[in-house]
Amino acid sequence: MRKLLLLPGFFLMALLAAAQTKEVSGTVKDSKDGTPIEGATIRTSDGRNATVSKADGSFSLRVAESVNQLVVSSVSHQQLVVPITGSVLDIRLVPSTESLSEVVISGYATRTKRANTGSVASISMDEVKAAPVASFDQLLQGAAPGLNVKNGSGQPGRNAEVVIRGRGSINGSVTPLYIVDGVEVRPEDFSTMNQADFETISVLKDAASTAIYGSRGANGVIVITTKKGRAGKVRYSYDGQFGTSTMPDNKLKLMNTPQKIEFEKNIANNPWGWSDQQFDSLAKINTNWYDAVFHAAPTQSHQLSASGGDDKTTFYASVGYLDQQGTAVNTGLTRYTGRLNIAHTDQNVKIGVNMAGGWSKFIGTDEGNSGVGSPLNTVIWALPYETPYTSTGDYTNSIQFPFWINPVEELQRNPQTSWQLKLTGSAFVEYKLPWVKNLTYRLNTGGDFSQFELFNIINNGTQSALQNAAFGQDYRGSGEVSRGLDRRFRYTVTNSLTYKTYLDAAKDHSLTAAVYSEFVRNQGRSFNYTGYGLLLPFPNEAGLVAGTASNGYIPIVGGGFPENSALMSYFSSLDYGFRNRYFVTLTGRTDGSSRLSPENRWTRYGSVGASWILSDEDFFHADFVKLLKLKASIGSVGNQNGIGEFPYLQQYGRGTYSGGGTLQISRLGNNNLTWEKRRTINLGVDYALFNYVVTGSIEVYNSRTNGLYFSPFVPSTSGGSGSILSNNGSMSNKGIEVALGVRIINTKNFKWQVQANYSYNKNTILSLPDHQDLQLVPGGVQALKVGKPLNSFYLVRYAGVDPATGNSLYYTKDGKTKTDVFSTDDLTIVGTSDAPHNGGFTTTFNYKGFELQAFFTYSFGNYIYNNALYNVAYGGYASSGFWVGGLNAWTTPGQVTDFPRIDENTQASTTRFLEKGDFWRLRNLMLSYSLSQAVCNRLKIGGFRIFVQGQNLYSHFSFLGFDPEVSPIQDAHSSSVNGAQYPALRTITTGVNITL
């Protein structure tokens, strides 16, 4: 009876609940072409209820009676607030003009592009994700203004050198900070990461954008976010491509056999003393050593991914495989990657986990040096009348030995192998505090683990082993094995409180304030050893015999200085907007680094940025201008990167004395060492014209670094290594950056658009230690000079050849008088290796399902010291492979030529071997075809795309070499010039993308 009495109560409560809610349904479509939008999120304005649209765009949602608005959002469309005017809604979303790039992602926060006051460039992943490049940072070249990217190597897996807005340090690091999902990663780790998992790339360039990263962001910041799941049914995708890489032509033309025999007979005075019969025998051989060392190399990549979820939980997962063989024999990279990203939202709580792992195997060779043991050098020095193999199939021993080793044998039998294990992960929890409206707490933790193992072998009996013995290192003459292990782990913990609100009922005044605390810990250790006496028949440590004092095979064991530093930071930011047209951003940060002494450990800096949407003003009447935004910022950051661990402490190493072990000072400490300080002023304008047909930006900046990290030399009586790291000198970088996009044709079936960017940076050394005006750089071809750029060449200017004597002529310091006497008093600054002008250009054509895209990059204004040319044009090396220009060498009085007599003592420190590094190249060309959505719907698939693309198909330059992008100069005290060049890969691939 009691149960029967309760039934009416339950029935009444159900009726009351139903009366307090209502059913809302409808469809979500694209406002431009009316196609349904799947996976759009429809939420109530109070955030309590949500759903996602189906494949046909339909949705149904029960909402509270008091709710009168829905918030509808989609990845590729602008968010829309829709009033509930009935039970069935027809919702049309406007496509985002620039899709995800409409939101500026700084890593700690996101802002709309409209509200951003700093200098941030967004790079579209659609243009780079399919490029067959093993290290992601190489894809940044020409992609955004302000980036100077040198892809100095074509060796698979080698990272590029990336500099943002010029070099701001001499001995400190100039590498930008890379952040992936809130976790810092090293650029050399990109070869073990899959760029196809990346979704957005933001380049932060000025102080208003980078100051929030403090000392970590002194050289600019590149923020990467990875793909996240979208609400809707699970989507499966396959991306794959196959192709081939080939070697580009070398403009440094070498003599073939007929030319070399003529040269040796008539010009070089027969350096090997060949008889006529021997010359006749040698003439029958004409070896192209490039064909022996370089070959067409296959490449392939595959990725499977899945994503989906509902209105609360989304996920993205992928696995990838890359196998890219190098054009030099027995070099290449094999990589396996995996990723899982999960996010969940429930009421006021949002949590997420991003996890990724990768493993790679790299087989490589030395490059960027002038060593006689490097196969990429000896392939140029090889004699064309010798062969890689004997008639019995053995490796040839050259008459040039020991100053030449067979490059084919070195690559095949003595490989340099390394393995890398890479693990990254981050987790976050975000909680909207219910007792304080608009206040959100977020905890973000992340870790980055990298393990690098190196294995090198020089097999007994190879020419490398015999070369070591010939150079007096008898203990190395029977082969050797080297192995190294380097482990690094970095973890980051960030806490933040963010408050967002409007300060008035009209919502004219918006305010976002945030405070943060962050702790970053770096830990690392390394170990290495080299064992000698590889006499047993095993190609590893098992082949080593026991080392004794009598046989001399004593192994060398060592290890790097352990990494164990930390950075503690407190910072805050404040964003204020008025009427959605005036914006101000303030940032302040305090950093404390354990690398510096306690009295110099902490530093403070900050920035202020402001912008004004001038085109929104009532007095602005230029109707063709849809957007005109003015912005300005000023701020400062510190730098303590690249100085090693605890440089304020004196460091000791091991040594020997009278047969016993000793300690010796390996590094002098400097208790006064403090932070480099870099201050930047930025002015800019963003614009959109003719209904967004033309868009772009122009920015100018001026930055100055004070207290440069610099290592002046100290007397050997100090007991140290001859230098001490200190804060000395100052440097400036000034420049302009231009970005332009034009939609030339934009009809339903045919579209043509272009995008271009240009950057100019002027670097100037303002002061040097002890009020010096000039300081030579070890290496002989560069110097630091006040008023000139960093990495400037310091050479005597070459003036040609004296027709009467065949001697080289040089200009004296005044630049007018010629002399045949080389003098160091005539050395002068003649250019820099850093290109001041850089940019890129993209043109895209779309016709129905076809797309043709061409991407060009260019760089000019720099010089290259061509050490490879010196080595094949130096008369003292006439017995080796030689440049064809030597056929024009002076031999007769009165002869007019640009090549001096062969027996002259060739001077290296002259502009004779300095060449312009200007180039432009077709970086990527892609033709693709995509099935229409209507066809895909009939086939019941999400999408289908097939493409063919080419990388580095054409390059225009005058430099005598494979490529003007030589191995980059890392700092002013490590002068790297062209030699042992691994040419850039010229790759053609075909690929397919299928979505189910």
Side-chain angles (χ1 to χ4, degrees):
M1 182 66 180
R2 182 176 299 174
K3 294 180 179 180
L4 292 175
L5 292 174
L6 289 174
L7 286 175
F10 283 124
F11 183 70
L12 180 60
M13 292 175 62
L15 288 175
L16 290 173
Q20 294 174 357
T21 62
K22 56 187 176 184
E23 185 80 15
V24 178
S25 61
T27 56
V28 183
K29 297 180 180 179
D30 187 289
S31 64
K32 188 174 181 180
D33 55 20
T35 57
I37 300 176
E38 180 185 4
T41 301
I42 303 97
R43 297 182 183 276
T44 57
S45 55
D46 60 4
R48 295 182 179 275
N49 301 86
T51 188
V52 295
S53 59
K54 300 178 181 178
D56 60 357
S58 64
F59 72 93
S60 179
L61 180 67
R62 181 164 290 279
V63 303
E65 190 67 40
S66 58
V67 173
N68 54 22
Q69 286 181 330
L70 297 177
V71 180
V72 185
S73 59
S74 174
V75 172
S76 57
H77 292 74
Q78 298 178 16
Q79 182 173 286
L80 181 66
V81 178
V82 181
I84 301 176
T85 57
S87 58
V88 179
L89 302 177
D90 181 19
I91 301 173
R92 302 293 177 120
L93 297 185
V94 178
S96 297
T97 304
E98 299 177 63
S99 189
L100 288 173
S101 62
E102 287 294 328
V103 177
V104 175
I105 301 173
S106 67
Y108 291 107
T110 60
R111 299 182 180 92
T112 63
K113 191 172 183 180
R114 180 184 185 88
N116 185 58
T117 63
S119 179
V120 180
S122 297
I123 298 175
S124 171
M125 278 305 302
D126 290 336
E127 299 177 4
V128 299
K129 66 181 180 182
V133 175
S135 185
F136 150 79
D137 52 354
Q138 292 192 13
L139 303 174
L140 298 176
Q141 186 180 61
L147 289 176
N148 186 353
V149 181
K150 283 186 176 180
N151 296 324
S153 171
Q155 196 158 184
R158 291 292 171 90
N159 63 288
E161 184 200 40
V162 180
V163 177
I164 298 177
R165 288 188 168 182
R167 299 176 187 271
S169 184
I170 295 179
N171 286 132
S173 172
V174 297
T175 302
L177 173 68
Y178 293 91
I179 299 292
V180 179
D181 288 338
V183 178
E184 179 181 351
V185 299
R186 300 183 302 168
E188 52 265 39
D189 293 341
F190 280 123
S191 61
T192 316
M193 302 178 71
N194 185 2
Q195 67 261 22
D197 288 331
F198 298 167
E199 187 165 55
T200 67
I201 308 170
S202 298
V203 183
L204 316 184
K205 297 180 288 187
D206 71 328
S209 304
T210 63
I212 198 166
Y213 284 94
S215 62
R216 297 198 295 157
N219 301 308
V221 185
I222 297 178
V223 180
I224 301 166
T225 64
T226 59
K227 294 179 179 178
K228 307 297 188 291
R230 295 174 56 184
K233 73 175 186 179
V234 177
R235 290 285 193 185
Y236 300 94
S237 182
Y238 166 76
D239 296 89
Q241 54 183 309
F242 295 86
T244 303
S245 299
T246 56
M247 180 189 70
D249 294 332
N250 191 355
K251 289 192 174 184
L252 184 60
K253 300 298 182 182
L254 304 175
M255 295 180 187
N256 57 28
T257 294
Q259 293 170 328
K260 189 66 165 65
I261 289 177
E262 177 191 348
F263 174 75
E264 291 187 6
K265 279 184 175 182
N266 302 321
I267 298 176
N269 299 317
N270 195 0
W272 294 114
W274 302 118
S275 65
D276 289 339
Q277 292 83 358
Q278 288 174 315
F279 272 127
D280 291 340
S281 177
L282 295 174
K284 299 175 183 178
I285 303 170
N286 190 13
T287 301
N288 186 331
W289 281 90
Y290 292 156
D291 290 344
V293 170
F294 299 102
H295 66 154
T299 183
Q300 61 175 311
S301 65
H302 308 274
Q303 175 170 298
L304 288 172
S305 62
S307 65
D310 54 27
D311 60 299
K312 291 187 176 181
T313 305
T314 59
F315 77 94
Y316 171 82
S318 75
V319 291
Y321 168 74
L322 170 71
D323 183 19
Q324 187 174 48
Q325 298 303 304
T327 52
V329 297
N330 201 29
T331 63
L333 174 75
T334 302
R335 180 179 73 194
Y336 301 87
T337 58
R339 173 169 290 277
L340 177 62
N341 295 345
I342 302 174
H344 176 76
T345 302
D346 189 8
Q347 298 292 331
N348 293 333
V349 179
K350 183 177 182 179
I351 59 176
V353 177
N354 304 311
M355 299 177 291
W359 180 89
S360 63
K361 179 182 179 181
F362 175 76
I363 302 177
T365 186
D366 288 335
E367 60 177 315
N369 60 54
S370 56
V372 295
S374 172
L376 298 183
N377 281 326
T378 58
V379 67
I380 296 176
W381 305 339
L383 291 168
Y385 47 69
E386 293 185 331
T387 59
Y389 303 97
T390 66
S391 59
T392 60
D394 297 324
Y395 294 106
T396 299
N397 290 315
S398 173
I399 193 175
Q400 300 183 74
F401 183 84
F403 295 99
W404 182 92
I405 60 173
N406 192 324
V408 180
E409 180 188 45
E410 180 66 13
L411 288 167
Q412 295 284 16
R413 296 202 59 198
N414 299 328
Q416 298 178 3
T417 308
S418 61
W419 301 265
Q420 185 179 35
L421 174 65
K422 178 73 174 176
L423 301 172
T424 59
S426 63
F428 71 89
V429 57
E430 192 173 278
Y431 181 49
K432 295 181 179 179
L433 279 65
W435 53 87
V436 181
K437 188 178 181 181
N438 302 321
L439 184 64
T440 302
Y441 166 76
R442 182 182 174 97
L443 169 66
N444 195 92
T445 62
D448 175 53
F449 173 81
S450 180
Q451 176 174 292
F452 184 84
E453 182 180 357
L454 175 69
F455 177 80
N456 291 343
I457 187 169
I458 298 178
N459 278 286
N460 183 28
T462 61
Q463 292 173 51
S464 283
L466 298 174
Q467 184 186 64
N468 291 330
F471 288 154
Q473 298 175 321
D474 293 337
Y475 64 97
R476 301 181 62 191
S478 299
E480 61 189 75
V481 170
S482 300
R483 193 179 293 274
L485 182 68
D486 182 90
R487 287 181 178 175
R488 296 172 184 263
F489 178 62
R490 179 190 295 109
Y491 66 87
T492 305
V493 180
T494 307
N495 291 276
S496 66
L497 281 172
T498 304
Y499 181 73
K500 293 184 178 182
T501 189
Y502 289 99
L503 303 179
D504 63 327
K507 296 185 178 181
D508 284 338
H509 302 269
S510 63
L511 178 70
T512 300
V515 293
Y516 304 82
S517 70
E518 185 171 71
F519 181 74
V520 181
R521 181 68 177 270
N522 298 281
Q523 296 176 311
R525 62 183 186 273
S526 63
F527 171 81
N528 59 76
Y529 72 86
T530 302
Y532 305 98
L534 190 61
L535 300 176
L536 302 178
F538 304 104
N540 50 43
E541 293 87 338
L544 296 172
V545 299
T548 65
S550 59
N551 64 26
Y553 300 142
I554 307 298
I556 297 177
V557 180
F561 194 71
E563 183 178 357
N564 191 18
S565 60
L567 184 73
M568 187 69 202
S569 306
Y570 304 95
F571 49 104
S572 62
S573 66
L574 186 147
D575 289 3
Y576 168 75
F578 176 60
R579 292 185 177 175
N580 201 31
R581 80 180 63 145
Y582 310 98
F583 303 95
V584 176
T585 300
L586 300 173
T587 303
R589 178 159 174 148
T590 296
D591 277 351
S593 172
S594 66
R595 289 175 174 170
L596 300 172
S597 63
E599 55 266 35
N600 293 308
R601 185 158 292 170
W602 291 90
T603 187
R604 301 182 184 89
Y605 29 72
S607 69
V608 56
S611 64
W612 175 25
I613 312 296
L614 179 61
S615 54
D616 280 6
E617 298 291 353
D618 293 337
F619 60 78
F620 192 87
H621 299 298
D623 294 338
F624 71 95
V625 179
K626 295 301 180 182
L627 172 68
L628 184 61
K629 174 183 175 181
L630 308 179
K631 58 185 179 181
S633 67
I634 183 172
S636 63
V637 291
N639 183 31
Q640 46 95 47
N641 296 319
I643 61 175
E645 297 297 286
F646 317 117
Y648 70 96
L649 297 175
Q650 191 161 279
Q651 185 175 325
Y652 295 88
R654 58 181 176 272
T656 58
Y657 181 77
S658 298
T662 64
L663 280 177
Q664 62 185 22
I665 300 173
S666 59
R667 184 187 68 191
L668 295 173
N670 182 2
N671 203 54
N672 295 320
L673 191 69
T674 184
W675 306 72
E676 283 184 337
K677 292 289 183 68
R678 188 172 186 175
R679 186 210 63 204
T680 301
I681 299 174
N682 190 85
L683 302 173
V685 55
D686 298 339
Y687 60 88
L689 312 175
F690 310 112
N691 199 26
Y692 290 88
V693 170
V694 179
T695 59
S697 65
I698 302 173
E699 297 190 28
V700 294
Y701 61 88
N702 185 347
S703 69
R704 175 177 176 136
T705 306
N706 293 318
L708 288 169
Y709 287 135
F710 192 77
S711 297
F713 296 98
V714 296
S716 59
T717 53
S718 65
S721 59
S723 64
I724 181 171
L725 186 65
S726 57
N727 297 102
N728 284 291
S730 58
M731 183 189 305
S732 72
N733 285 279
K734 301 177 182 178
I736 182 170
E737 299 168 356
V738 179
L740 175 67
V742 182
R743 292 183 299 175
I744 300 174
I745 300 175
N746 190 35
T747 64
K748 181 179 180 180
N749 290 328
F750 183 66
K751 296 177 174 61
W752 177 22
Q753 60 181 345
V754 298
Q755 292 180 318
N757 66 80
Y758 164 77
S759 305
Y760 168 73
N761 181 77
K762 181 181 180 181
N763 176 276
T764 308
I765 296 175
L766 301 177
S767 64
L768 289 171
D770 304 323
H771 305 289
Q772 298 179 70
D773 179 69
L774 178 75
Q775 185 166 114
L776 297 178
V777 173
V781 297
Q782 290 186 297
L784 304 173
K785 182 173 175 59
V786 172
K788 298 295 183 178
L790 187 66
N791 291 332
S792 288
F793 290 103
Y794 193 54
L795 302 167
V796 175
R797 282 170 289 192
Y798 185 69
V801 177
D802 186 343
T805 64
N807 292 333
S808 293
L809 297 176
Y810 312 98
Y811 286 106
T812 58
K813 205 172 190 66
D814 62 11
K816 300 177 181 178
T817 306
K818 294 183 180 181
T819 176
D820 63 356
V821 178
F822 177 86
S823 173
T824 56
D825 293 336
D826 296 325
L827 290 167
T828 187
I829 298 295
V830 287
T832 174
S833 62
D834 293 323
H837 306 273
N838 295 276
F841 174 83
T842 303
T843 180
T844 306
F845 300 90
N846 296 90
Y847 178 70
K848 295 185 177 180
F850 291 94
E851 180 177 277
L852 176 64
Q853 184 180 82
F855 174 40
F856 300 85
T857 62
Y858 61 88
S859 176
F860 61 94
N862 66 310
Y863 290 85
I864 303 166
Y865 184 84
N866 196 339
N867 192 68
L869 174 61
Y870 170 80
N871 281 320
V872 293
Y874 172 48
Y877 299 155
S879 57
S880 298
F882 215 74
W883 179 42
V884 294
L887 295 170
N888 299 319
W890 184 94
T891 57
T892 307
Q895 178 183 352
V896 178
T897 181
D898 58 356
F899 200 108
R901 55 188 174 87
I902 287 296
D903 59 351
E904 180 192 59
N905 182 23
T906 306
Q907 298 293 334
S909 298
T910 76
T911 59
R912 178 185 172 192
F913 306 105
L914 190 71
E915 299 185 69
K916 288 186 176 183
D918 305 351
F919 73 89
W920 66 266
R921 76 170 81 249
L922 178 56
R923 189 75 168 88
N924 192 77
L925 179 67
M926 177 182 288
L927 175 64
S928 64
Y929 176 73
S930 301
L931 292 180
S932 67
Q933 192 60 51
V935 174
C936 290
N937 290 339
R938 288 198 297 269
L939 296 175
K940 297 184 179 180
I941 60 175
F944 178 87
R945 176 173 175 260
I946 188 170
F947 63 87
V948 58
Q949 68 173 326
Q951 286 269 313
N952 302 319
L953 294 181
Y954 177 77
S955 299
H956 179 79
F957 56 89
S958 60
F959 168 73
L960 296 180
F962 286 109
D963 195 292
E965 288 191 85
V966 299
S967 298
I969 296 173
Q970 297 296 333
D971 59 67
H973 279 3
S974 178
S975 177
S976 174
V977 293
N978 181 45
Q981 188 178 13
Y982 198 117
L985 301 181
R986 179 181 292 166
T987 306
I988 297 177
T989 60
T990 58
V992 64
N993 169 254
I994 303 173
T995 303
L996 302 177

